[in-house]
Amino acid sequence: MVKICGIGAGYIGGPTMAVFALKCPSIEVAVVDISHSRISAWNSKKLPIYEPGLEEVVNQCRGKNLLFSTDVEKHVYEADIVFISVNTPTKTRGLGAGKAADLTYWESAARMIADVSKSNKIVVEKSTVPVRTAEAVEKILIHNSKGIKYQILSNPEFLSEGTAIQDLLNPDRVLIGGNQGPEGQEAIQKLKDIYAHWVPEDRIITTNLWSAELSKLADNAFLAQRISSINAMSALCEVTGAEVSQVSHALSKNTKIGPKFLNASVGFGGSCFQKDILNLVYICESNGLIEVANYWKGVIKVNDYQKSRFVNRVVTSMFNTVSGKKIAILGFAFKKNTSDTRKTPAIDVCKGLLGDNACLSIYDPQVTEDQIQEDLSLNKVELDHPIHLQPQPVSFTSLKQVNIVGDAYEATKDAHGICILTEWDEFKTIDYQRIFDNMQKPAFVFDGRNILNVDKMREIGFIVYSIGRPLDQWQKNMPQQA
């Protein structure tokens, strides 16, 4: 029996290893992490992350050929193939601070593998890493090998949170990069054989190590670029009277462009896009490619601009102040069908409104109160690090202007305005007439996800701002802040 060990029980490691176990019942799969609370959650009825279909997969395999454990060294020692899915946060200090990836946890994992291994292993990069990380891992392993042979593969994930299980069960491609010598090719084939249990051969792409590593960074950069591009257009639409959804539809019919990632919004979030682009910027700058670096910096600048533009629109629409006013925040996760809040635009929007002394009432169907508390108490870089290494959050009593509630009606009761920041389906179908009747007047809605029927909302009596749509007459008369 082949044994697989996945180091890191987060959004990548947990679902990926669970699907391996489901599709390869003859393979023993162990998911290990040094966080006892996280492993306990994986072994409980309440999993640590929300992902449609994940619970069913885990329940089907857990206790059979899938186990979750904090005994990291034991399972690495026993494994034939070790997948590394640890954090690669942005460095907070030193060379490359603010842009370069912090590979502390990667190096630690590599040294631990070298310390405990007594048999040959294939070591697979699963989380997103800078180009040539495999080279560093290989050097650590070889210089501590004690005669053991290692092959390093890059097998970046291309799953999207919210659809992760479907993406893993039916991937559009699987990418495996390895050394081009005979032993490297043999390792690639072993990993291909595992994926071949359920992935058609023509969807499994093999490359050299560096191409696989860079392909993942490029993939995220190109997707983020599309979002920033349509968001840049949304700002122009608002002042010209164009409708961004109509522009997006026209663009989507161009077969050279296609329909995906063309929805204007308050901005992109998630664990990867900003981090990977900053990493790409650092790599370009380190290699003297300043113009290329500046090009990719622009993608992040537009995303930051979109969030600040949204906050400015809220404040200026409401008589240039939200001080002491109750603002309902509907949605805190960075996208629907996930509980993940990493880099969610909601954090910046909420902090921007709190900076103007607003009182926030926040509701999200999947994000816990503790998570929202941490997100609004810690800085964004600290949150990239593993839970046990994060500083203790500021006591929630210091965030007296924030109230976390259990449903949309409670959040909006007596509110002056509503900000929709996640496109949860339930926000499309709630009773907005009931909500309007229980709000302060004039009642404002700021649709950061373009999920509402603006005409119907205006018929009810709301003053509506929807990203990329012609401005309400009210907002035309309210000058934007600089």
Side-chain angles (χ1 to χ4, degrees), residues 326 412-417 435-444:
K326 179 179 177 179
T412 54
K413 189 175 188 302
D414 293 322
H416 292 79
I435 285 173
F436 177 80
D437 293 342
N438 289 313
M439 285 179 66
Q440 302 285 338
K441 307 299 184 299
F444 296 87

Side-chain angles (χ1 to χ4, degrees), residues 89-102 274-275 277-279 281-282 285 300 343 381 384:
T90 303
K91 285 183 75 172
T92 57
R93 61 187 65 183
L95 186 65
K99 286 181 276 198
D102 185 343
Q274 178 163 320
K275 176 167 67 75
I277 293 173
L278 288 171
N279 190 358
V281 166
Y282 178 70
E285 289 176 343
I300 293 175
K343 296 291 187 294
V381 175
D384 276 340

